[in-house]
Amino acid sequence: MRKLLNTLFVTTPDAYLSLDGENVIVQQEKKELARFPLHTLENIVTFTYPGASPSLMGACAKHNINLCLCTPNGRFLARAVGKSNGNVLLRRTQYRIADDVSASSRIARNMIFGKVYNARWSVERTIRDHGMRIDKEKLQNASGILQDMLPKIQNVDTLESLRGLEGETAATYFSVLDEMILNDKENFYFPGRSRRPPLDKMNAMLSFVYSLLANDCAAALESVGLDSYVGFMHRDRPGRSSLALDLMEELRACFADRFVLTLINNRIIKAKDFQDRESGATLMTDEGRKTVIKAWQERKRETITHPYLKEKIPWGLVPYVQSLLLARYLRDDLDGYPPFLWK
């Protein structure tokens, strides 16, 4: 099993990354702030505009370290990618399936099945753990609707129909997400999904964490030899990691959303970690992002038993394992793509 290495998150304003020997150097106004050996890293994610030196980009590509550049608010800008990993025949198979709508729908429906299954069990876990503090009937109704959708998703045969069912289930799930927020409801609430820009603290956190998860999924896919930009559910769009968005669907509720709820319900994140703009947007502060990133790294080190492999692995390796299973399916080593089914 692959070893889970470290991810370096850079949030210091105006920080610039450079290379010194086999070390990545974090600088601010030409002053060295920190250095980290490259061999201990598998990802570098920077949330500053100055960026990184060409020599560091080349070293990251050489050592298969994913270097991702984001805005201070977490919006993806670019990734440094070196030589393609894996067998070229695997990518040719991926491209052929992506061009075949019927074949694409067979993979996509398994991913969406996993998404809805995990969303339902996230709701069920809230009912089980906090039944006296929530509108139990409302959550039970939502769980029932999500359960009824599962066989429909299994039998769908077109991407258009699948997108319609996915939209219905997402609306049902998001309609009860606010009930799952248990503390500080004056500051943390969920009126509905808003993205660009996020209009409340909950949406600001979701957008930021989704960007972290998408980067992890893209890096995992590239590491097993797949093209993270060519998806099956999400179709091609310049600059969009469509397959990473496909893969993260089944991890949104059980990994990202549960993580955000934990930060709020355990009072790890607070109202002071956000700032409201005159435009109506709500953004995280630098300290808020640091708090989330620290907790995200800790969550990735927690272990679970993978439902398909029946082995204990860190949460942070789940995107890698799912990428590996997808690659094995594309190579005809598996009869179907097994989604991650959390419980």
Side-chain angles (χ1 to χ4, degrees), residues 239-253:
R240 182 172 76 175
S241 299
S242 295
L243 187 56
L245 295 180
D246 286 350
L247 185 66
M248 69 180 285
E249 289 291 358
E250 55 201 85
L251 301 178
R252 285 181 186 267

Side-chain angles (χ1 to χ4, degrees), residues 30-97:
K30 298 184 178 181
K31 179 182 178 181
E32 181 177 322
L33 301 180
R35 64 172 53 215
F36 304 91
L38 285 175
H39 73 270
T40 65
L41 301 174
E42 66 177 356
N43 291 288
I44 300 174
V45 186
T46 175
F47 298 92
T48 65
Y49 283 119
S53 69
S55 60
L56 177 61
M57 292 182 185
C60 288
K62 177 182 177 181
H63 293 285
N64 294 319
I65 298 172
N66 177 57
L67 174 60
C68 180
L69 308 177
C70 301
T71 69
N73 294 320
R75 183 169 60 83
F76 173 82
L77 292 175
R79 284 194 307 117
V81 179
K83 294 181 179 179
S84 297
N85 295 313
N87 192 331
V88 66
L89 299 179
L90 174 63
R91 293 201 177 204
R92 287 176 64 87
T93 300
Q94 177 188 355
Y95 300 150
R96 284 196 295 270
I97 291 178

Side-chain angles (χ1 to χ4, degrees), residues 76-269:
F76 173 82
L77 292 175
R79 284 194 307 117
V81 179
K83 294 181 179 179
S84 297
N85 295 313
N87 192 331
V88 66
L89 299 179
L90 174 63
R91 293 201 177 204
R92 287 176 64 87
T93 300
Q94 177 188 355
Y95 300 150
R96 284 196 295 270
I97 291 178
D99 288 336
D100 185 331
V101 177
S102 178
S104 292
S105 66
R106 287 194 291 272
I107 299 175
R109 72 187 179 193
N110 284 6
M111 292 175 167
I112 298 304
F113 181 92
K115 174 181 182 176
V116 177
Y117 180 97
N118 294 334
R120 175 176 179 264
W121 278 109
S122 181
V123 172
E124 284 290 323
R125 178 164 289 197
T126 300
I127 295 173
R128 183 196 69 188
D129 295 343
H130 307 287
M132 301 298 292
R133 303 177 60 185
I134 59 173
D135 186 340
K136 189 174 181 179
E137 183 178 356
K138 184 176 181 180
L139 268 70
Q140 287 176 331
N141 289 338
S143 177
I145 293 173
L146 295 175
Q147 174 68 21
D148 292 341
M149 283 290 187
L150 292 175
K152 297 180 181 179
I153 292 171
Q154 284 182 311
N155 294 322
V156 75
D157 56 2
T158 67
L159 288 176
E160 290 75 14
S161 299
L162 181 61
R163 292 190 183 101
L165 293 176
E166 189 274 336
E168 292 180 40
T169 56
T172 298
Y173 169 71
F174 281 138
S175 72
V176 296
L177 187 58
D178 186 66
E179 293 289 334
M180 300 162 73
I181 302 173
L182 305 176
N183 285 320
D184 198 7
K185 293 297 289 276
E186 180 180 349
N187 290 301
F188 293 97
Y189 48 85
F190 185 76
R193 188 75 177 104
S194 57
R195 297 174 178 83
R196 299 174 183 170
L199 301 178
D200 55 79
K201 298 175 180 62
M202 182 68 173
N203 272 292
M205 290 182 67
L206 287 176
S207 292
F208 185 67
V209 172
Y210 286 163
S211 69
L212 298 178
L213 179 58
N215 177 67
D216 287 347
C217 289
L221 290 163
E222 297 285 349
S223 73
V224 302
L226 292 168
D227 189 337
S228 63
Y229 287 88
V230 179
F232 305 116
M233 173 79 170
H234 294 82
R235 308 310 287 174
D236 295 351
R237 182 184 298 174
R240 182 172 76 175
S241 299
S242 295
L243 187 56
L245 295 180
D246 286 350
L247 185 66
M248 69 180 285
E249 289 291 358
E250 55 201 85
L251 301 178
R252 285 181 186 267
C254 63
F255 193 5
D257 296 355
R258 296 296 302 186
F259 170 72
V260 169
L261 290 169
T262 297
L263 293 185
I264 297 172
N265 293 337
N266 290 347
R267 303 183 188 277
I268 297 171
I269 199 82

